[in-house]
Amino acid sequence: MRAKALITVIVILLLCVTVRLLPYLAPIRSADIAQDKQAIAFTDRNGLSLGTLLTRNSEHTAVVPLNQVSPQFINAILAAEDGTFYHHGALDLKAIARAIKDAIHAKRILSGASTITMQLARMLDSLPRTVSGKTQEIWLSWRLTAGMNKDDILSAYINRLPMGGNIYGVEAASRIYFSIPARDLNLAQGSLLAAIPNNPTYFNPYEHYQRLKQRQKYVLNRMIQDGYITKAIAQRAYTEKVIFASRQPGIIAAPHFLFWLSSQIPPTSLNKSSSPIRTTINRPLQQFVEAQLQQILTNLAGNNVHDAAALVIDNHTGELLAYVGSPDYFNEAKLGRNDGVQALRQPGSTLKPFLYELALEKSVIRPNSILADVPANYAIPGAKLYSPTDYTRSFTGPVRVRVALANSLNVPAVRVLEKVGVQTFLDRLRELGFAHLTHRAEYYGLGLTLGSGEVSLWELAKAYLIIARQGQATPIIATLPPSTPPPHLSPIHLP
């Protein structure tokens, strides 16, 4: 009995150990290491860059399939980092033996004999450069080899390559350094990019271009040895003048819009394509509106006006052309990141046109009706008398409807609201999309037409778009299909 009990205990212990070790024994598959957080690049409607929003780790990362990467770059990175990648397993035993032999002769380590699979393992799990760390790296490499084919491993590798600064992956590097997708890299560009990962800081193209050229020469020589190119082709690539794009700021225009839009796009849509998201924004118009807003605020500074926001929408298509959330997004002292387009504010008299439209629709008033702009008092249960006045604190007497609306007179508007009914007007505003008017009609009272409720500029613009389209509701469109195929992303219609 004791023997059976002992065996049972041993079996249980083995099962417990196996269960705990199982995550470290199972093969690693592509889905297990999928990159789901990428930097998002945006362009305006004509392809002009608006900027790039980084991942949560503040990295420029873009993921592309292997078949969307230039063969020139693939051959260059294979030649530079692991010439026999497709002919060995997780480890390259010949390279290891050669490295040991060279180290013995030189009495120092000349190369680490790391394969691309081993380098990928280091990218996935930051391991110490110790014997224990190397052992873990080798074990992780075997798990990668057991769960993924060579193309999968290479794809995961080139999409994680450190390419200088906070740039990771060949696609991000190609777009940032050359303003082209990775599939369009030629040999000169591809061999330069393949030279960077060996030591991204040392070979920084902006600061150490000559060092990078020396490393490019090494890459091209390796490509000659591996039979990818001839000496003549290598020489032409080396002497070809390659222009690196100047460093661009992360955000060029419409920062509030970019951050807001990125929060509206489903992550599944973002992962369908590494291409920049083409928005409806017109960058020249956007920058003009930004400048105009700054100028207006400068002129009004004496009146203690320091903040403003603006939206420009095409009434015919519903496409968003300009979006300015504050005078300066990057001015933290003045809370520039606050988005005046989405923030809730009392709208003042901007709701009056909707009231007059509703009153005309219900025949409460006619275009030639006369409204009294004279002092009026309204009894509010449990509160003081409500006595609306205009900004000028003067009254004009009897006025026609069009004059009352054109001059935004308060007392006539309140009289019209009294006839229409606060609840009826509130229902209409909610139909128009003012979703933040959530209180009961009694809460707002007759002041609703003068701005007693809080709405956003976005809601106001959408409602005015309905007026411009003569009552036809239309969604605001913020993105367009890519100008070049494949059209992975559909236009995004926003509420």
Side-chain angles (χ1 to χ4, degrees):
M1 293 292 294
R2 290 183 178 178
K4 289 184 178 180
L6 181 60
I7 292 173
T8 301
V9 171
I10 292 173
V11 170
I12 292 174
L13 288 174
L14 288 174
L15 286 173
C16 290
V17 172
T18 301
V19 169
R20 292 181 66 86
L21 290 178
L22 190 59
Y24 304 98
L25 299 175
I28 298 175
R29 306 188 187 283
S30 297
D32 300 328
I33 60 172
Q35 293 168 272
D36 57 356
K37 292 181 176 62
Q38 303 182 44
I40 312 171
F42 298 88
T43 72
D44 82 341
R45 61 193 305 111
N46 298 312
L48 297 175
S49 176
L50 294 177
T52 300
L53 301 186
L54 305 184
T55 63
R56 291 182 181 179
N57 295 326
S58 297
E59 297 173 351
H60 281 281
T61 306
V63 178
V64 289
L66 199 61
N67 61 10
Q68 290 186 26
V69 179
S70 164
Q72 305 281 22
F73 173 81
I74 293 175
N75 293 340
I77 199 68
L78 286 173
E81 301 295 335
D82 191 351
T84 57
F85 171 71
Y86 280 97
H87 304 289
H88 59 67
L91 308 181
D92 185 350
L93 298 180
K94 291 183 179 179
I96 293 174
R98 183 172 59 251
I100 293 173
K101 179 182 177 182
D102 292 342
I104 292 173
H105 284 292
K107 296 183 180 181
R108 61 187 180 89
I109 297 176
L110 297 177
S111 65
S114 290
T115 64
I116 280 178
T117 309
M118 294 168 68
Q119 292 182 45
L120 175 60
R122 284 201 299 272
M123 295 173 185
L124 296 173
D125 192 353
S126 182
L127 299 169
R129 294 300 182 94
T130 62
V131 174
S132 174
K134 197 68 176 180
T135 301
Q136 295 178 61
E137 177 187 314
I138 292 172
W139 181 250
L140 187 56
S141 300
W142 278 331
R143 291 176 60 202
L144 289 167
T145 303
M148 300 164 62
N149 62 39
K150 286 291 187 178
D151 285 349
D152 292 336
I153 292 172
L154 183 59
S155 178
Y157 173 73
I158 64 173
N159 281 304
R160 288 176 169 82
L161 283 172
M163 303 300 288
N166 60 353
I167 305 168
Y168 289 84
V170 62
E171 179 71 12
S174 182
R175 290 188 178 276
I176 291 171
Y177 290 137
F178 303 127
S179 302
I180 60 173
R183 65 172 176 267
D184 293 339
L185 290 168
N186 63 24
L187 178 58
Q189 295 164 330
S191 58
L192 280 167
L193 291 189
I196 295 175
N198 181 259
N199 192 330
T201 301
Y202 188 80
F203 296 121
N204 185 302
Y206 295 121
E207 298 176 6
H208 306 297
Y209 183 70
Q210 291 306 316
R211 294 178 184 173
L212 181 62
K213 288 296 290 182
Q214 288 301 311
R215 177 67 182 177
Q216 181 195 26
K217 183 182 293 186
Y218 167 81
V219 173
L220 291 169
N221 286 336
R222 293 289 304 175
M223 293 182 75
I224 295 171
Q225 294 174 24
D226 291 346
Y228 291 117
I229 56 176
T230 64
K231 288 184 178 181
I233 292 175
Q235 182 61 28
R236 284 199 298 271
Y238 182 75
T239 57
E240 180 178 327
K241 186 176 182 180
V242 176
I243 304 298
F244 281 81
S246 60
R247 296 185 186 186
Q248 294 288 340
I251 300 176
I252 300 171
H256 292 92
F257 169 72
L258 299 187
F259 281 104
W260 176 79
L261 180 59
S262 67
S263 70
Q264 305 297 311
I265 303 174
T268 52
S269 296
L270 291 176
N271 290 335
K272 288 181 180 179
S273 173
S274 62
S275 300
I277 293 175
R278 183 177 169 226
T279 72
T280 56
I281 294 291
N282 182 311
R283 195 175 89 177
L285 177 61
Q286 170 73 29
Q287 293 172 323
F288 172 78
V289 174
E290 290 174 356
Q292 286 294 104
L293 188 142
Q294 290 276 10
Q295 183 60 50
I296 291 171
L297 289 177
T298 299
N299 295 338
L300 295 177
N303 297 323
N304 200 31
V305 178
H306 303 292
D307 294 294
L311 275 178
V312 180
I313 300 172
D314 187 322
N315 290 333
H316 297 288
T317 64
E319 293 174 359
L320 187 60
L321 302 179
Y323 182 123
V324 184
S326 78
D328 184 359
Y329 177 88
F330 301 101
N331 190 330
E332 295 185 9
K334 294 186 177 181
L335 304 178
R337 294 190 180 186
N338 290 346
D339 188 349
V341 171
Q342 302 299 332
L344 297 180
R345 295 285 188 272
Q346 290 190 336
S349 296
T350 57
L351 299 182
K352 288 177 183 174
F354 307 110
L355 172 64
Y356 281 92
E357 183 277 325
L358 180 60
L360 290 166
E361 177 187 316
K362 294 186 174 296
S363 299
V364 172
I365 58 174
R366 293 185 176 86
N368 62 348
S369 294
I370 301 296
L371 300 175
D373 184 24
V374 296
N377 299 304
Y378 297 91
I380 307 297
K384 295 180 179 180
L385 285 176
Y386 175 50
S387 304
T389 60
D390 290 316
Y391 178 75
T392 60
R393 297 190 177 276
S394 61
F395 300 92
T396 58
V399 294
R400 294 188 183 278
V401 167
R402 67 175 61 204
V403 174
L405 177 57
N407 290 277
S408 190
L409 301 178
N410 287 343
V411 176
V414 172
R415 293 184 187 279
V416 172
L417 179 57
E418 185 182 26
K419 294 178 181 181
V420 170
V422 176
Q423 184 63 58
T424 302
F425 183 43
L426 182 59
D427 291 340
R428 171 55 58 89
L429 291 176
R430 288 169 177 167
E431 289 175 7
L432 289 169
F434 291 98
H436 292 95
L437 296 175
T438 56
H439 295 287
R440 299 175 63 182
E442 293 80 6
Y443 175 86
Y444 302 109
L446 293 173
L448 180 59
T449 189
L450 306 183
S452 62
E454 292 189 327
V455 304
S456 69
L457 177 57
W458 180 268
E459 292 170 333
L460 274 171
K462 183 180 178 183
Y464 274 94
L465 178 61
I466 294 175
I467 286 183
R469 296 177 63 86
Q470 299 183 350
Q472 179 186 358
T474 185
I476 296 177
I477 300 173
T479 68
L480 298 170
S483 55
T484 57
H488 295 295
L489 299 177
S490 301
I492 294 179
H493 299 173
L494 299 166

